[in-house]
Amino acid sequence: MSLLQIDEKEAKKLYKETVRELLEEEGLIGSIWKMDRMLLECVGYGERWVVDHICNHPYVIKHQIAVKFGGEWTFKAKRIVEFIDMYYPELGVNHKRGVAK
């Protein structure tokens, strides 16, 4: 006889919500970042640098990874992380390894 009763539906729901939240925080699924989040990725560089070197980069423009919408820049999280890892490894953020240089 079990003294603990678990609602499996509710447990699955909470699990899914938690996993989704963690993946969104890491930028690994369909989330959109604003400039504030990008500045966290590009520690030591300001908004002007991000616009000049990332937003205006031909690859980013071609693939529409960063878009200026209503005067504010937005970034496709997963794609911009891949871009940063590929083009700016000196930023010291490699999300695949999770280690800063």
Side-chain angles (χ1 to χ4, degrees):
M1 179 175 170
S2 176
L3 297 175
L4 185 62
Q5 198 171 29
I6 297 174
D7 181 351
E8 286 187 39
K9 273 184 157 179
E10 189 62 26
K12 284 182 183 180
K13 179 182 170 193
L14 288 171
Y15 175 76
K16 285 181 180 181
E17 288 173 1
T18 303
V19 168
R20 181 172 188 75
E21 186 177 305
L22 290 171
L23 290 173
E24 284 178 353
E25 284 176 6
E26 293 297 318
L28 298 175
I29 61 171
S31 64
I32 300 294
W33 290 350
K34 293 189 177 190
M35 183 59 77
D36 292 343
R37 180 64 170 89
M38 271 303 295
L39 292 174
L40 292 174
E41 293 295 309
C42 302
V43 175
Y45 295 93
E47 186 172 337
R48 183 82 251 148
W49 186 91
V50 171
V51 171
D52 290 346
H53 293 86
I54 295 179
C55 299
N56 292 326
H57 191 282
Y59 181 87
V60 172
I61 293 168
K62 179 180 179 182
H63 297 282
Q64 297 180 339
I65 299 172
V67 178
K68 193 167 190 177
F69 199 69
E72 188 172 0
W73 284 98
T74 58
F75 305 86
K76 294 178 183 175
K78 183 177 180 183
R79 300 288 307 278
I80 203 68
V81 166
E82 293 167 353
F83 171 81
I84 290 170
D85 284 345
M86 186 171 27
Y87 287 94
Y88 293 101
E90 69 274 10
L91 291 177
V93 180
N94 187 321
H95 296 273
K96 293 179 188 105
R97 288 182 291 173
V99 176
K101 290 183 179 179

